[in-house]
Amino acid sequence: MEEIIAKIEEAYAAFTADAKLQAEKGNKAAGTRARKASLEVEKLMKQFRKVSLENAK
């Protein structure tokens, strides 16, 4: 579970950096990377939810 949390933190950091570049400087490539990172965060959050529910049982 700690591995998933670390991956979530890493993916979110990448998303945040790219999203800021797009918002502040209008960098279109950073926007594309941010959208890709957001999908990765979503996938990891679903994995976390699954593992969390299994551990709660």
Side-chain angles (χ1 to χ4, degrees):
M1 190 155 146
E2 291 180 19
E3 182 180 321
I4 292 174
I5 293 171
K7 287 181 181 181
I8 291 170
E9 289 173 345
E10 184 180 319
Y12 188 75
F15 163 76
T16 303
D18 288 329
K20 283 183 182 180
L21 283 175
Q22 181 188 19
E24 294 171 359
K25 298 185 180 185
N27 186 330
K28 291 181 183 181
T32 301
R33 290 191 303 270
R35 288 189 297 277
K36 183 177 177 183
S38 72
L39 293 174
E40 182 65 22
V41 170
E42 179 183 18
K43 182 179 106 179
L44 290 168
M45 293 300 278
K46 287 180 182 181
Q47 286 179 349
F48 172 79
R49 184 173 187 274
K50 182 179 177 182
V51 170
S52 177
L53 287 172
E54 288 174 4
N55 287 343
K57 291 181 182 179

